[in-house]
Amino acid sequence: MSSEPAKEAAETPDVLIVGAGFAGLGMAMKLLDAGHSDFVLLEKADGVGGTWRENTYPGCACDVASVMYSYSFARNPGWSRMYATQPEILDYVKRVVKDRGIESYIRFDTEVTGYEFDEDGNRWSVRTRAGQEFRPRIVVLAHGALHRPNIPDLPGMGRFKRTVFHSAQWDHSVDLKGKRVAVIGTGSSAAQFIPEIAGVAAHVDVFQRNAHWVLPKADRPLKDFERKLFKALPAVQQLYRLAAYWTHELPVLAFLHPKLLKVLELASLRMLAKQVPDPELRAKLTPDYKIGCKRILLTNDYYPALGRPDVDLVTSAIEEFTPTGVRTVDGQVHEADVVILGTGFSTDNRCATEHIVGRDGITIQEAWQDGPTAHLGTTVSGFPNMFMLMGPNSGGGAQSILFVIEAQLHYVVECLRMMRKRRADRLEVREDVERAFNARLHAKLAGSVWNSGGCHSWFLDHTGQNRQSWPGTGTSYWRATRRPNPNAFLLTRRGADRRLRVVPGSSQPR
Ligand code: NAP
């Protein structure tokens, strides 16, 4: 991207949101609620829904109860189950977009290729793949943390002559009926699609590197009378929501104080003993790290699927691909017509490939050379008037990410209000505040099960630093984001003489 002056064609919305998933769409709705309609939402795909548009694998569903995995301000009394499936969640998102009149603000098929902060103009210059330029005052990055499929670099993969695809790029044109299928990975996605393809495929080999802890999913269809009750008496659905909220909140206390995890481990081992009678298979499925270290799988049909005679759990490490299958280090070749990668997403540096240039020409890669950090997961020093949703260390606990997103939407709206009230045209989190915040955050995380539970998960980067988890309950995050502290920011205004002045009430950097 060049720093040439803005072309006349550049659009100048006050706010530019990037990403039409739950976060970006929620931002649009909250801006409208706050009386702010001068915004545009850019989406690289041709539809809304983000992760729920992209992930269409069989069995794709949410492991958070629907009453908690929906906007608190757009209730859905019509959920068909306690835990909704992907098509139902996508329908919900589309319906809310329509009901709230958001569609006209969205530019589909518009991929952003770079962001540069123009210091003099006090605006961002945002370019798209089609060569368009937008010059908003504020940018909100809402492109999520789990959208770059992790394609492992396994030896000989290029030699494999048959079909390979990732779970987030499911190839629905491939009929698995009667095929030999190899599944690599046993995380949340694989645990959902393995029970669906077992019995359809002639044979499924599941390649497990580490066993995951599993707990039962309290899923069931919602009864007609419950739906009628939710519609007639929203307070009843609110009670369900409250119950789901605390079901997700309480385990976090154990994740932060791992001594309390024994109860969850016993419940999981009991389920394993009940669902897997074969002692050899049970031994393979018994994790050797603390529960909660990796995200717990909530599923009732994963273990039974692995126990089927036409499914094998392979725990020998993969040595290489052959032209027709996968060879493990014990020398066995597992023939496969189709290989499905349930290998998760790249999360190590969420903006690794983004072209984001902030104040004084600093790139996001330079700012994050020691790993992604932010203040409250939303603002990064050096990047004025830029907000992130689901940024570093704002999720990854057990609470619904929708709850976290809503806290952030509120926080962004409050920050904009604070700027307006103080007549600031630039907001930037102070570098010392961000540094001190992260020192406290990482000190708290050190004792958590995510950091010290004896596993490596996608919460950790390659250096072992936790870049995902908020070190507390959802409630504590909600409290921290209620009201932005003006002293955390450098709030400035450019005077008639073009010089930047700190607005009264916000603090000077130390
Ligand atoms: P994941 O939890 O990161 O699991 C990836 C799996 O692939 C793990 O079993 C991992 O093994 C394995 N793997 C990765 N690289 C490998 C390699 N080179 N060789 C062999 N195995 C390899 O990914 P995911 O299942 O897609 O889920 C990611 C996250 O998405 C979840 O934690 C969750 O937050 C979200 N998700 C949510 C839902 C939902 O219901 N809300 C559903 C799906 C996903 P190791 O364990 O040994 O590393």
Side-chain angles (χ1 to χ4, degrees):
M1 214 164 90
S2 73
S3 55
E4 65 192 33
K7 290 182 188 143
E8 270 194 64
E11 286 186 51
T12 56
D14 191 46
V15 181
L16 183 108
I17 308 166
V18 183
F22 265 107
L25 296 169
M27 189 74 259
M29 293 176 222
K30 283 290 159 189
L31 285 177
L32 283 181
D33 286 352
H36 211 100
S37 57
D38 186 8
F39 68 86
V40 168
L41 195 164
L42 307 184
E43 166 56 50
K44 70 175 176 341
D46 60 359
V48 297
T51 199
W52 297 103
R53 188 202 61 249
E54 281 179 18
N55 285 272
T56 60
Y57 59 79
C60 184
C62 190
D63 57 10
V64 175
S66 312
V67 279
M68 240 359 260
Y69 201 89
S70 42
Y71 297 117
S72 64
F73 50 84
R75 297 278 166 76
N76 175 21
W79 291 119
S80 68
R81 317 186 55 82
M82 292 294 275
Y83 292 77
T85 59
Q86 175 264 340
E88 193 171 5
I89 297 171
L90 190 57
D91 278 354
Y92 164 78
V93 175
K94 287 180 178 168
R95 203 166 52 246
V96 175
V97 165
K98 197 154 170 260
D99 291 351
R100 297 263 169 159
I102 302 297
E103 206 146 28
S104 59
Y105 294 89
I106 309 175
R107 310 285 171 83
F108 291 108
D109 300 308
T110 306
E111 187 183 353
V112 171
T113 51
Y115 310 75
E116 284 185 9
F117 187 64
D118 166 10
E119 304 236 14
D120 292 333
N122 233 359
R123 285 196 166 247
W124 282 91
S125 164
V126 179
R127 304 248 179 192
T128 71
R129 184 147 316 276
Q132 246 179 310
E133 186 190 14
F134 292 84
R135 293 181 61 79
R137 187 174 63 101
I138 307 283
V139 289
V140 181
L141 307 186
H143 33 52
L146 299 171
H147 64 110
R148 280 185 290 129
N150 168 38
I151 310 292
D153 186 16
L154 292 164
M157 248 176 118
R159 255 204 321 264
F160 185 67
K161 291 285 170 270
R162 297 173 179 171
T163 309
V164 186
F165 56 81
H166 187 275
S167 62
Q169 297 161 337
W170 196 273
D171 187 344
H172 291 277
S173 70
V174 177
D175 186 1
L176 298 179
K177 206 165 157 208
K179 301 258 166 58
R180 284 191 72 88
V181 178
V183 174
I184 300 179
T186 53
S188 305
S189 304
Q192 290 183 341
F193 69 72
I194 288 168
E196 299 295 318
I197 64 171
V200 174
H203 185 89
V204 181
D205 281 321
V206 176
F207 293 83
Q208 171 189 280
R209 204 162 55 172
N210 286 286
H212 285 239
W213 287 96
V214 177
L215 282 172
K217 188 174 185 180
D219 193 18
R220 63 171 174 83
L222 281 159
K223 300 193 175 71
D224 250 5
F225 86 86
E226 288 176 295
R227 281 199 294 271
K228 281 185 188 144
L229 208 58
F230 290 167
K231 202 163 179 190
L233 289 172
V236 176
Q237 196 174 25
Q238 183 61 13
L239 282 179
Y240 277 54
R241 186 175 159 91
L242 212 61
Y245 177 80
W246 288 107
T247 307
H248 290 292
E249 203 70 337
L250 290 177
V252 181
L253 298 176
F255 295 157
L256 293 170
H257 306 285
K259 280 191 186 129
L260 303 175
L261 288 169
K262 263 280 160 273
V263 183
L264 288 178
E265 287 190 358
L266 287 174
S268 178
L269 291 174
R270 231 178 109 213
M271 178 177 178
L272 177 65
K274 210 165 138 200
Q275 290 199 329
V276 183
D278 173 4
E280 203 180 312
L281 181 59
R282 209 160 57 222
K284 286 180 175 178
L285 289 169
T286 307
D288 59 0
Y289 55 87
K290 288 206 172 81
I291 194 166
C293 184
K294 287 172 188 280
R295 195 178 161 105
I296 300 168
L297 309 182
L298 291 188
T299 161
N300 304 324
D301 49 8
Y302 177 57
Y303 284 154
L306 295 179
R308 291 174 60 102
D310 51 3
V311 177
D312 280 333
L313 183 70
V314 182
T315 52
S316 242
I318 295 171
E319 184 174 276
E320 60 171 358
F321 274 68
T322 70
T324 58
V326 176
R327 190 196 315 278
T328 41
V329 290
D330 58 4
Q332 242 192 296
V333 175
H334 307 264
E335 292 292 325
D337 302 305
V338 181
V339 174
I340 305 175
L341 303 172
T343 43
F345 300 86
S346 298
T347 53
D348 212 20
N349 189 343
R350 39 179 95 208
C351 286
T353 55
E354 301 267 1
H355 180 91
I356 307 177
V357 184
R359 176 174 50 76
D360 301 329
I362 187 173
T363 65
I364 196 78
Q365 288 80 13
E366 284 161 354
W368 284 357
Q369 56 186 331
D370 296 326
T373 55
H375 182 248
L376 289 168
T378 53
T379 51
V380 180
S381 172
F383 298 84
N385 293 0
M386 173 175 273
F387 295 94
M388 291 184 175
L389 301 178
M390 295 178 288
N393 293 101
S394 61
Q399 193 45 270
S400 167
I401 193 68
L402 260 284
F403 182 80
V404 173
I405 288 171
E406 282 196 32
Q408 296 182 337
L409 301 180
H410 170 87
Y411 186 74
V412 174
V413 169
E414 288 302 311
C415 281
L416 298 184
R417 204 191 305 276
M418 177 173 73
M419 288 175 77
R420 211 163 43 243
K421 201 168 138 205
R422 290 165 190 265
R423 297 202 298 121
D425 48 26
R426 196 189 278 195
L427 169 148
E428 181 185 338
V429 67
R430 276 172 32 189
E431 200 260 333
D432 59 329
V433 170
E434 188 190 328
R435 201 169 348 102
F437 168 85
N438 277 286
R440 284 196 304 276
L441 177 143
H442 286 291
K444 274 196 199 168
L445 281 174
S448 74
V449 72
W450 304 303
N451 285 37
S452 65
C455 79
H456 188 94
S457 72
W458 63 265
F459 302 155
L460 309 182
D461 67 14
H462 65 280
T463 69
Q465 270 287 17
N466 192 326
R467 299 295 174 191
Q468 309 295 336
S469 313
W470 167 253
T473 55
T475 310
S476 71
Y477 187 75
W478 177 85
R479 230 186 282 119
T481 47
R482 274 308 75 192
R483 201 174 250 269
N485 174 3
N487 293 323
F489 300 99
L490 199 57
L491 288 160
T492 50
R493 179 166 58 234
R494 199 174 280 289
D497 57 1
R498 309 301 300 149
R499 288 181 55 192
L500 272 184
R501 289 196 172 73
V502 177
V503 303
S506 91
S507 50
Q508 297 273 7
R510 280 185 206 127

